[in-house]
Each structure stands twice: as C-alpha cells, then as structure tokens.
Amino acid sequence: MKKIGVFTSGGDAPGMNACIRAVVRTAIYNKVEVAGIIHGYNGMIDGNIIEMQSRSVSNIIQRGGTILKTSRSAAFMTYEGRKKAYDNLVKYGIEGIVCIGGNGTFTGAKVFFEEFGIPSIGAPGTIDNDLYGTDETIGFDTAVNTAVDAIDKIRDTAESHDRVFFIEVMGRHAGFIALACGIAGGAELVLVPEQKHEWVKLKNYFTGKNKSPKSFSIVVVAEGDEQGGALKVVEHLKEFIPDFDPRITILGHIQRGGTPTAFDRVLASRLGNAAVEALLRGDKNKMVGLVENKIVLTSYDDAINKTKPLISESLRLVDVFNV
Ligand code: F6P
C-alpha cells in the first residue's frame, strides 16, 4: 500500500486527535503516504481530502474534539453516496483506510468493502464504551472523569441543602458511563439499561419503611435507561411521592469535550499505531482493541453485533456501598 486515508466519524470523543496523530506518524514511519478525510464519510463523498505530513498533527495530542471534523452521514447510507466516495478515493490514490468511530462507522466501512473492495481497519472512538472487542474505547475515560468532576461539585450543594439529585449521563443504549460515574462519584443508586426492574429498588429507597436515612443522595441515570432518562424517572416517582422535590442535572455534551486524559491518549496512540500496522500487513474489516492490555483484532461483524456486558461485579458494588 502506497497511500492510506484516515477519518473520524460519528460522535467525537476526546483522544480522537491522539489517534489521528498516531495513524499519520505510523504511516509516515512506514514510508506510506497519508491523507486526511474531513467530516467523515461526507468528506469522502465530497472529495474533502487533504494530504497530511508529520507536522500536520503537531500539538494535537492534548486537544479534545477532532481536527478532521466528523459527521453522521446520511448520504453514505445510499449506494450513490458510496460510489462517489469510492471514486474520490481512487482519484486521490487511497488504497486503504483507518476509520476512527463507533458502531455506525464500522457498519459503513464493512458495506463499503463488500461493494468496492476498499480495505479498512477501525479504531474504537466513542465515549459510550459500547463496542465488543475492546475493554475501553477512546474517549470513555475522559468522559467519565468529566462527569465525575461535575458529580463532585453537585455533591457539595446536595449535602448543603439535604437534597436528592438525579444526574443523567450519556451512553446511548449502554450504561458504561453511568456505572463508572456511579462508583467513582459515590452514588447511592445507578440506573442502567442493562439492568431491568430497578424501579422497585428506587421506589423503596425513597418511600416506605425501608426508606433511606441519608440526608442527601445522588442517583446516576443512564440516558438509555428503560424508564427514559432522569426527567421521566423523577416524573414517575412523583406519582408516588407528591412532595418529592429532587433536582435534575442532565450533563449532556459536556461529556464529549475537553482535554483527553493520559489514559485516553495512551490508548488512542496504541490503537492508532496498531490500526495502521494491521492495514499494512493486509488485515481488513476488523477493529483494533485493547483486551487485558493487549492489542487484539475483532471482526467488524463481532464488534458491531456482539454485546459487551457491563461488569456485574461493579453493579453489585453500588449496592454494597449504599449501606
Ligand atoms: O455516541 C456518543 C453520544 O454522545 C451518545 O452518548 C449520545 O447518545 C449521542 O452521541 C448524542 O449524539 P448527538 O451529538 O448527535 O446529539
């Protein structure tokens, strides 16, 4: 392979820049040219492609967001869009790609290979940590640290007023962020989509003879929880406790930004490097991940379709510590 392309796609995640840097420098180290595709699949379709040098990625390892920009591309979901993207890759002499993103990104890359034969390797970049084949995704650690920092601040005011706070965190359909934040933030309860029937536990905690004696409480709610997020949970609870007066904080996109933690920078650097080396070895249609601190390759099929379970031991800890 003489030239590869790199792009970021889907929701941005802190550490994507460190990964781009690793991809560009590993390619150049191996005497392979590298092009940056701007705005993910949309840039591939529009021919928004730039040549990258080693210095193109100077001073970005510490920056959040993605210098290559990102998008969730509707156009790439059509055959016509993918054909335009293919024509542009041919025009720019790009023979293989490294895509940094999540589920949707890898689904697109898989279809693209099946139709046009462009090989790719994916690096898992999403704060949600919801990909099978890696213990942690790029951005997850930073997002958790950002949320925990917010929870710590909320604890101060919760304690001062003897208040209950429901704090909603991101994670789409998964509860990884919520669970990690719940443990690190000392939450009394954590509601995650992976665990059903938490409603009774929640109700008992605030009502009845087993009501908690604590003067203030933090409940972390995953946005994808079956009850529908923090607003819905509180609305539902108020039906049983009319004078219930908790506060609700939805942390939202603050979790996606900011300086990546050292952990995310190292993870992103290792995965970006491994992605290029795998591509140059002839691997394709796979995601690089870190499992028990070792680089592993997982087929896109498995990464997309298999479910990474929440660590049940950690779920139990929340209950144990809430005595
Ligand atoms: O996948 C990352 C994520 O931040 C999810 O946690 C969240 O549900 C979603 O993206 C939000 O997407 P958008 O930025 O398009 O609103």
Side-chain angles (χ1 to χ4, degrees):
M1 237 176 238
K2 290 201 182 71
K3 188 173 186 180
I4 64 168
V6 58
F7 67 93
T8 49
S9 162
D12 60 319
M16 278 184 162
N17 280 329
C19 192
I20 295 166
R21 172 180 177 270
V23 168
V24 169
R25 295 214 168 146
T26 302
I28 292 170
Y29 180 88
N30 284 286
K31 312 221 174 331
V32 171
E33 287 177 58
V34 55
I37 302 160
I38 311 295
H39 276 305
Y41 288 120
N42 281 346
M44 215 184 273
I45 294 168
D46 299 340
N48 197 352
I49 296 172
I50 55 167
E51 302 300 326
M52 297 190 86
Q53 319 298 336
S54 188
R55 296 287 80 77
S56 315
V57 290
S58 294
N59 202 25
I60 65 165
I61 195 166
Q62 79 287 11
R63 284 169 58 189
T66 159
I67 60 160
L68 292 179
K69 312 254 182 175
T70 187
S71 65
R72 302 189 198 277
S73 175
F76 198 75
M77 290 181 191
T78 66
Y79 179 82
E80 293 69 35
R82 293 192 291 274
K83 173 75 172 72
K84 276 190 191 162
Y86 172 71
D87 290 343
N88 278 323
L89 292 191
V90 171
K91 184 171 149 198
Y92 282 84
I94 296 170
E95 297 164 86
I97 42 182
V98 172
C99 41
I100 307 166
N103 237 303
T105 308
F106 303 154
T107 305
K110 180 177 174 293
V111 175
F112 198 45
F113 176 76
E114 286 161 3
E115 288 173 348
F116 298 101
I118 297 288
S120 72
I121 294 287
T126 164
I127 62 165
D128 300 336
N129 198 28
D130 58 348
L131 287 167
Y132 180 89
T134 189
D135 290 342
E136 301 217 330
T137 54
I138 298 163
F140 170 67
D141 186 64
T142 308
V144 169
N145 275 285
T146 301
V148 169
D149 182 51
I151 292 171
D152 287 347
K153 291 182 167 106
I154 290 170
R155 291 181 74 83
D156 290 344
T157 177
E159 183 180 23
S160 305
H161 283 266
D162 286 343
R163 267 179 177 155
V164 175
F165 270 83
F166 284 75
I167 303 172
E168 183 180 301
V169 295
M170 280 187 165
R172 203 178 286 272
H173 306 300
F176 291 97
I177 298 179
L179 182 55
C181 286
I183 294 175
E188 275 64 35
L189 294 162
V190 177
L191 305 185
V192 291
E194 291 84 348
Q195 205 174 38
K196 308 293 173 203
H197 313 302
E198 295 153 312
W199 174 247
V200 176
K201 190 160 66 171
L202 186 68
K203 210 175 117 196
N204 288 345
Y205 186 77
F206 291 110
T207 58
K209 66 174 173 17
N210 292 326
K211 188 171 177 250
S212 166
K214 293 189 179 182
S215 60
F216 76 100
S217 294
I218 301 286
V219 182
V220 174
V221 185
E223 64 174 350
D225 187 67
E226 59 175 349
Q227 291 170 84
L231 286 165
K232 285 266 186 282
V233 170
V234 169
E235 208 176 283
H236 199 176
L237 266 176
K238 278 186 171 171
E239 289 169 18
F240 296 88
I241 328 165
D243 61 344
F244 194 43
D245 190 27
R247 293 295 182 267
I248 300 168
T249 305
I250 298 174
L251 293 181
H253 286 78
I254 191 173
Q255 294 160 96
R256 286 243 292 264
T259 302
T261 59
F263 179 91
D264 269 332
R265 297 183 204 187
V266 173
L267 178 69
S269 301
R270 290 180 73 184
L271 294 182
N273 167 268
V276 175
E277 287 181 353
L279 195 59
L280 298 184
R281 268 199 316 266
D283 268 310
K284 54 179 150 331
N285 269 347
K286 289 178 186 159
M287 181 194 85
V288 284
L290 206 63
V291 175
E292 292 178 0
N293 207 23
K294 290 200 175 55
I295 298 285
V296 293
L297 287 166
T298 301
S299 69
Y300 280 155
D301 273 334
D302 283 354
I304 295 163
N305 297 316
K306 288 193 175 172
T307 304
K308 180 163 71 179
L310 272 191
I311 302 171
S312 52
E313 171 64 16
S314 302
L315 273 172
R316 197 179 63 83
L317 286 185
V318 178
D319 288 340
V320 170
F321 297 150
N322 185 22
V323 285

